[in-house]
Amino acid sequence: MLYIYGATAHAKVAVETAEELKLDIAGLIDKSLLITDVFDYPVELHQEINQEEDMVFVAVLDSGLRQRIVSENCFWKYCSLIHPKAHVSKRADIGKGTLILPGASIAPDVQIGNHCVIGSNAVIASNTIVEDFVTIGPNSSIGSNVLIGSGSEISANIHISAEETIEKNSYIMSVQ
């Protein structure tokens, strides 16, 4: 069974992706006492996770909070959710706990770390490394031979040229 940690907008996207993958969702876990269900799945404050059978996906968009939740629950078994309408090369390496949304395109020889979020229609070119807990927003494009450091957040509609290095915990956003 799959438990989704979180119950806000990002969790709703994770639920729909898990449903597309035909995964059995047991429910959601969230610290808010105001949310009782998401799409008819129960939301509980705490949940006993069977370490051998149950899988968990942390559906929290903030990369720092996502990292804290994972570090506090290191014994959980985490799964990645890769939407069936995403294109991920069979030669790409995807870490555990990562979400790849519809329309995303991941080229060969891309390494995506653990607990990352790759937004809808994001494109990541070959020979790129995306370290753990990175968020790449929708419609962003990442050139080849790029390194994106752990905990970084790239907002929507960003283009990062080839051969760039993004330092860990960076925040890159477009100026409107």
Side-chain angles (χ1 to χ4, degrees):
M1 296 297 278
L2 173 64
Y3 289 92
I4 295 176
Y5 191 106
T8 57
H10 191 56
K12 292 175 182 178
V13 173
V15 165
E16 285 205 339
T17 302
E19 289 175 338
E20 287 285 327
L21 295 168
K22 303 198 182 331
L23 298 175
D24 291 326
I25 301 171
L28 290 82
I29 305 166
D30 195 270
K31 298 210 182 266
S32 172
L33 298 174
L34 302 174
I35 305 171
T36 59
D37 70 280
V38 171
F39 302 142
D40 296 326
Y41 296 104
V43 177
E44 302 290 334
L45 185 60
H46 298 286
Q47 182 63 47
E48 290 298 319
I49 304 296
N50 182 328
Q51 295 177 32
E52 293 180 17
E53 297 174 19
D54 296 332
M55 301 292 287
V56 177
F57 179 80
V58 178
V60 174
L61 192 55
D62 179 89
S63 53
L65 181 54
R66 200 164 58 238
Q67 187 169 3
R68 191 181 90 216
I69 292 166
V70 169
S71 69
E72 290 172 356
N73 300 286
C74 57
F75 54 88
W76 286 350
K77 203 164 45 169
Y78 295 99
C79 71
S80 289
L81 300 175
I82 301 172
H83 196 281
K85 291 184 180 173
H87 172 74
V88 178
S89 169
K90 66 182 179 182
R91 292 178 175 88
D93 184 26
I94 310 299
K96 62 185 176 186
T98 290
L99 175 65
I100 301 177
L101 293 172
S105 180
I106 313 299
D109 293 326
V110 168
Q111 297 174 36
I112 297 178
N114 299 320
H115 305 283
C116 294
V117 176
I118 310 301
S120 296
N121 301 313
V123 175
I124 303 176
S126 63
N127 300 318
T128 290
I129 298 172
V130 177
E131 293 184 338
D132 298 342
F133 301 101
V134 168
T135 300
I136 297 175
N139 301 312
S140 290
S141 63
I142 312 299
S144 59
N145 300 307
V146 170
L147 171 63
I148 301 177
S150 179
S152 294
E153 295 187 34
I154 313 296
S155 71
N157 305 309
I158 297 293
H159 173 72
I160 296 177
S161 299
E163 308 288 332
E164 294 288 333
T165 297
I166 307 300
E167 298 296 322
K168 74 181 221 172
N169 299 315
S170 294
Y171 187 75
I172 298 176
M173 59 183 275
S174 61
V175 178
Q176 299 284 330

